[in-house]
Amino acid sequence: MSYQVNKKGYYGEFGGAFIPEMMHPNIEELQEKYMEIINSYNFRQDFISLLKHYVGRPSPLYLAKRMSEKYQTNIFLKREDLNHTGSHKVNNTIGQILLAKALGKTRIIAETGAGQHGVATATVCALMNMKCIVYMGALDVQRQAPNVKKMRMLGAEVIPAESGNKTLKDATNEAMRDWINNPVDTHYIIGSVVGPHPYPDMVARFQSVISEEIKWQLDEQMGRELPTRVIACVGGGSNAAGAFYHFLDTDSVELIGVEAAGKGVDTDETAATLTLGKPGVLHSSRSYVMQTEDGQIIEPYSISAGLDYPGIGPMHANLHATKRAKYLWATDEEVLEAALELTQLEGIIPALESAHALAALKKIDLKPEDINVINLSGRGDKDMETYLNYFGY
Amino acid sequence: MKNRINQLFQDKKENILSVYFTAGYPKLDDTVSIIEKLVANGVDLIEIGMPFSDPVADGPVIQHSSLIALKNGMTIKTLFEQLKGIREKVNIPLILMGYLNPVIQFGVEKFCEKCSEVGIDGLILPDLPLNEYQENYREVFAKYNLHNILLITPQTSEKRLVEIDEASSGFIYMVSSSSTTGAKNSVADFHIDYFERIQNMKLKNPRVIGFGISNQETFYNACKYAQGAIIGSAFVKALEGETTLDEKISNFVNQVVKTV
C-alpha cells in the first residue's frame, strides 16, 4: 500500500480539490505544473542552495542526553527550531516562492496561526521582492504580537480576520476569498498540508527534507538510517508530514502524531481533530473535520495558535484511517510542563506547538534500545509571554 | 414531471429575476414568508441559501446572514420542515444553495430525496466541482430530478465551458467577475467582453448572471447578455432594518424591476 497521493489528488478516500469554480484556473494551473517545476534542474538548484545558505540546513539532529537519561531511552531532537525564522515553515515557503516565480505570479497571500508561517512567507517575499499579504485571525494578531511586528517590518501587510473565532480557520477563509477575488497575479502560499490538491502533496514534498536529513544524520551518528519511531505535533500537519515522509512506506518505523487537546478532549475547548472529528469537507479537501451533527465547523481551541485548527491534512487522515500512524493528544497543561522540562534539561525553549510532541513521551512505552526522533518544529520566542504567565517567572 | 427550471426558461426568454436569500435570516421562521412575498412581487426564481459556518465563496453580507441564521438555529432538517407544503403555495422554481459539508453530513441521497419531496428543482453547491459531481453525484441528482447548477467565471477556459455546458441541465450561473459575492456593485466592473464572448458561443443551456447585481441599472445591463440575473447580497442587505418584511421585499423588488 502506498501512503502517497494518487493522480486524482487523493490519499485513500481523503483529499481531492473541492474548490469553487472561481479557484479552478489557479488550482488547475498548479496541478498541471507543480511536479514539472519542482523537479526541474533550476528549481532543485535554487531550492537546495537557499535551504543550505539562507535557511541554515541541514538542521542538527541532536541526541538529547539528559532527556534520554530521564526517560531511559534514546531521544533525538530534529532541530527545525534552528532554521532561519524559527521553525520548519520556511522549508515550504522557500519552495513555494520559487514556484510562484516560475508561474509568473507577482503577489503572494498567506494565512497564519501562530505567525510562524506568516513570518516565513513575509521573509521569502522580502528575499524575492514580492508583494505579500498575510491573513491572521484577529485574536491571533493579539496573542502573537511579536510575529505581527516582524511581518510588518519585513514589508508584509497583515490583515486581521474578524470572522468566526478570529483564529487560523478564519484566516484561511479570508485568504481563500482573497484568491477568488485576485485570480490572475496571485499565488496563495498555504502553510500546511491542507487545502485542495496539489497543496497537501506539494507542501509535504517541500517539508520532506526533514525526514531525508534524519535518515543520513541517524546513519552518521548511530550507524542506522531507521529510527524506532518519529514523533511530531499535528495541527494541519506539515511538520509531521515532513518528518514522516521518507518513512511512510517503511512499516518498521512507528509514526506518532500529537494533536492539541486544549483543555481536554472531553471539553468544548479542544483542537483534537482526529480524536473528535468525522470525515467531511473543509477548505477544499475531504478529511477529518471537527463539526456538529449538521456539518457546521466547530471552533477549535488550543493554547498554541499554530495547532488551533478544526481540520487536518488528508495525508494524516489516511494514515489514521489505515492505522499506519498513531495519533495521540496532549492537553495545554501537559504541553506547558513538557516545554519546561525540555528547557531545563537541555537548554532549549520549544514552541508551544512542538511541546505537544514532547508531551507524548509520557504517553508511550519507551524501551532503552529505542531510537526516538522528535521533530522540534519551532522555537519558543513567540510564546514567552504565555510561558512567563503560566510559570510565574 | 417537467422540471420547473426548464419550464421557466422555456416560457420566459429575458429579464428573468432570480433572488437569493439565506434561510433562517433575519428570523428563523422567515423562510416561507420571504418566499411567498418574493413570489407575490413577481420574482421568477428563488435561491434559498443553506447557511454554513465557513462560506468561502461569499462576501461579508451573506457570511453575516449565515452566521445569524445559524445562531437562530437553522439546520437542513429545520429547513426541510419549513418547506413542507411550499408547493401548495408557490409554483416558481426553487433552488437550494449552500456548501457541500452540511449536505454530506445530512446524507447526499437522503438530502436529494427530501428535496424532491418538498419540491426543490435544483442545487447550487459552489464547492462541488465538476469532476466530483460527474463521478459521485450526477446519478443521484438525476434520480430525484434535481438540476445541478454549475458556475462559470471570466477565467473559465473555452474547453471547460463546453464541458460545463455539457454537464448542465438547468441553466449556467455566470459569475460576472472573479469575486466573492457582494464584492463589486458597479457595471463598470463587468467584463462586457466576457459576456459577449459567452453569448457568441451559443451554449445549449440558458445563462443567468450573478455577483455584482444590486439595482435596476445592473440588473437590466446584465440581462442584455443573458436570460436573467441573480441578486443576492443586495437583497440580503435590504432585509435589515426596522420596517416589515412585506415593505422591505416589495420596495426592493419594485426598485429593481420596472415591469415584470
Side-chain angles (χ1 to χ4, degrees):
Chain A
M1 177 190 276
S2 166
Y3 297 99
Q4 296 294 353
V5 76
N6 71 17
K7 277 196 180 129
K8 289 181 171 176
Y10 277 87
Y11 297 85
E13 56 175 300
F14 303 101
F18 294 86
I19 45 164
E21 186 62 29
M22 294 80 104
M23 278 166 72
H24 187 269
N26 279 315
I27 294 297
E28 189 181 35
E29 183 184 33
L30 267 184
Q31 287 175 348
E32 281 172 3
K33 295 182 180 164
Y34 86 110
M35 284 304 293
E36 191 190 323
I37 292 173
I38 69 180
N39 285 329
S40 70
Y41 179 77
N42 285 346
F43 183 96
R44 296 300 307 165
Q45 288 294 103
D46 290 346
F47 185 57
I48 291 165
S49 166
L50 282 169
L51 287 184
K52 182 174 177 187
H53 302 293
Y54 188 70
V55 175
R57 299 204 73 92
S59 68
L61 182 71
Y62 164 68
L63 175 61
K65 286 211 185 73
R66 293 189 62 205
M67 209 156 169
S68 298
E69 214 165 279
K70 178 167 179 184
Y71 285 95
Q72 292 291 298
T73 187
N74 300 293
I75 298 171
F76 283 87
L77 302 173
K78 181 60 175 161
R79 299 289 309 274
E80 293 300 298
D81 61 315
L82 293 179
N83 289 343
H84 177 48
T85 74
S87 79
H88 72 290
K89 293 289 187 186
V90 71
N91 304 327
N92 170 46
T93 58
I94 293 270
Q96 286 206 47
I97 199 84
L98 292 171
L99 183 85
K101 283 208 111 157
L103 291 170
K105 305 290 179 179
T106 54
R107 180 176 176 273
I108 298 295
I109 53 172
E111 85 296 328
T112 197
Q116 294 303 88
H117 173 58
V119 169
T121 304
T123 299
V124 296
C125 286
L127 182 70
M128 297 290 177
N129 189 26
M130 292 264 227
K131 189 175 165 56
C132 179
I133 290 114
V134 180
Y135 290 90
M136 188 170 188
L139 177 67
D140 292 339
V141 168
Q142 281 173 20
R143 58 179 178 170
Q144 303 287 342
N147 272 342
V148 175
K149 287 176 186 159
K150 275 187 203 165
M151 285 183 262
R152 288 186 174 140
M153 185 168 168
L154 286 159
E157 186 184 346
V158 180
I159 303 182
E162 300 285 352
S163 57
N165 236 14
K166 307 182 195 332
T167 61
L168 181 55
K169 166 178 83 81
D170 313 296
T172 308
N173 290 340
E174 291 308 327
M176 285 187 157
R177 289 192 182 105
D178 181 308
W179 210 18
I180 287 171
N181 284 301
N182 297 284
V184 180
D185 61 347
T186 300
H187 176 70
Y188 177 14
I189 300 191
I190 294 185
S192 194
V193 285
V194 300
H197 174 65
Y199 278 99
D201 182 54
M202 193 166 75
V203 176
R205 282 171 191 271
F206 292 144
Q207 292 295 357
S208 71
V209 64
I210 300 172
S211 59
E212 195 182 318
E213 288 175 6
I214 291 173
K215 282 179 97 165
W216 65 256
Q217 287 173 319
L218 212 51
D219 189 28
E220 203 174 72
Q221 294 179 47
M222 301 294 283
R224 55 185 272 192
E225 280 193 340
L226 301 177
T228 313
R229 65 178 64 82
V230 181
I231 308 172
C233 68
V234 192
S238 69
N239 89 88
F244 293 173
Y245 199 87
H246 285 86
F247 305 114
L248 286 172
D249 294 322
T250 310
D251 286 340
S252 68
V253 179
E254 189 182 6
L255 306 175
I256 294 182
V258 188
E259 297 193 297
K263 296 191 175 158
V265 289
D266 47 358
T267 71
D268 292 339
E269 291 175 285
T270 180
T273 306
L274 286 175
T275 310
L276 297 170
K278 299 186 287 197
V281 173
L282 173 67
H283 294 148
S284 313
S285 76
R286 186 170 192 280
S287 185
Y288 283 80
V289 180
M290 280 173 38
Q291 53 186 312
T292 66
E293 207 183 308
D294 307 313
Q296 307 296 338
I297 309 307
I298 291 177
E299 300 288 352
Y301 161 83
S302 164
I303 195 168
S304 64
L307 304 183
D308 199 349
Y309 186 68
I312 190 163
M315 175 205 267
H316 293 291
N318 186 46
L319 294 175
H320 173 69
T322 57
K323 298 194 163 62
R324 169 65 188 97
K326 196 192 280 180
Y327 293 86
L328 311 174
W329 48 262
T331 62
D332 290 352
E333 214 167 300
E334 291 169 331
V335 164
L336 286 157
E337 295 303 331
L340 185 63
E341 184 180 79
L342 180 72
T343 304
Q344 300 194 336
L345 284 176
E346 300 288 346
I348 298 168
I349 303 179
L352 275 165
E353 289 75 15
S354 318
H356 283 74
L358 298 164
L361 288 171
K362 291 199 167 73
K363 296 169 185 270
I364 48 183
D365 186 22
L366 299 164
K367 295 196 175 67
E369 66 274 19
D370 287 357
I371 293 178
N372 305 281
V373 175
I374 298 180
N375 197 34
L376 203 67
S377 57
R379 61 173 169 250
D381 306 28
K382 67 187 176 59
D383 299 311
M384 284 318 293
E385 210 178 301
T386 309
Y387 287 143
L388 299 183
N389 284 340
Y390 184 79
F391 296 114
Y393 290 109
Chain B
M1 192 188 106
K2 189 163 188 178
N3 187 294
R4 293 176 197 86
I5 296 172
N6 302 107
Q7 193 66 52
L8 169 66
F9 286 95
Q10 200 179 318
D11 296 347
K12 193 169 175 181
K13 301 290 181 204
E14 56 180 16
N15 297 344
I16 289 177
L17 173 61
S18 175
V19 171
Y20 166 95
F21 74 97
T22 306
Y25 175 85
K27 299 263 165 50
L28 180 64
D29 293 323
D30 285 340
T31 314
V32 172
S33 37
I34 291 176
I35 294 172
E36 286 181 300
K37 288 175 180 98
L38 283 170
V39 173
N41 282 282
V43 163
D44 300 301
L45 196 159
I46 296 175
E47 292 169 24
I48 306 162
M50 302 178 285
F52 181 49
S53 54
D54 295 77
V56 288
D58 286 298
V61 173
I62 292 178
Q63 202 186 337
H64 175 74
S65 68
S66 301
L67 184 74
I68 303 287
L70 290 173
K71 278 191 181 154
N72 289 343
M74 182 47 82
T75 63
I76 291 182
K77 193 166 161 244
T78 304
L79 179 59
F80 282 131
E81 277 161 20
Q82 292 179 347
L83 292 176
K84 215 181 270 175
I86 192 78
R87 281 302 168 202
E88 289 152 27
K89 298 169 187 162
V90 301
N91 261 321
I92 68 166
L94 297 175
I95 289 173
L96 290 186
M97 181 165 190
Y99 291 80
L100 196 53
N101 196 51
V103 175
I104 291 176
Q105 302 311 321
F106 190 86
V108 176
E109 171 116 29
K110 191 174 136 202
F111 178 82
C112 293
E113 197 183 340
K114 278 276 172 195
C115 283
S116 144
E117 246 174 66
V118 299
I120 296 296
D121 305 289
L123 301 171
I124 303 177
L125 301 167
D127 57 348
L128 172 59
L130 180 61
N131 64 322
E132 292 285 343
Y133 165 65
Q134 303 274 54
E135 280 173 36
N136 301 316
Y137 295 82
R138 190 175 187 150
E139 277 176 31
V140 63
F141 282 23
K143 182 175 163 192
Y144 294 97
N145 195 20
L146 288 165
H147 287 325
N148 181 36
I149 312 301
L150 295 159
L151 277 58
I152 62 170
T153 82
Q155 268 71 42
T156 306
S157 68
E158 200 160 310
K159 179 170 164 271
R160 192 165 168 84
L161 279 166
V162 173
E163 283 169 16
I164 288 173
D165 191 38
E166 193 50 48
S168 298
S169 44
F171 63 90
I172 289 173
Y173 191 135
M174 271 179 78
V175 176
S176 64
S177 56
S178 290
S179 65
T180 45
T181 56
K184 313 217 164 126
N185 56 10
S186 142
V187 273
D189 287 326
F190 285 2
H191 296 223
I192 301 296
D193 55 335
Y194 151 67
F195 290 171
E196 285 172 346
R197 178 166 59 89
I198 305 299
Q199 212 166 14
N200 292 333
M201 281 186 73
K202 308 267 180 260
L203 301 175
K204 75 178 170 72
N205 285 282
R207 289 155 290 118
V208 175
I209 295 175
F211 289 40
I213 318 294
S214 59
N215 52 27
Q216 195 174 91
E217 188 195 4
T218 44
F219 175 70
Y220 284 105
N221 229 312
C223 286
K224 285 187 213 157
Y225 304 95
Q227 280 82 343
I230 302 163
I231 300 186
S233 295
F235 177 71
V236 171
K237 210 166 184 172
L239 292 175
E240 288 170 5
E242 290 304 308
T243 53
T244 63
L245 269 185
D246 251 335
E247 283 174 280
K248 286 178 207 161
I249 294 172
S250 63
N251 285 346
F252 185 84
V253 178
N254 289 327
Q255 254 176 43
V256 173
V257 242
K258 283 176 273 188
T259 46
V260 178

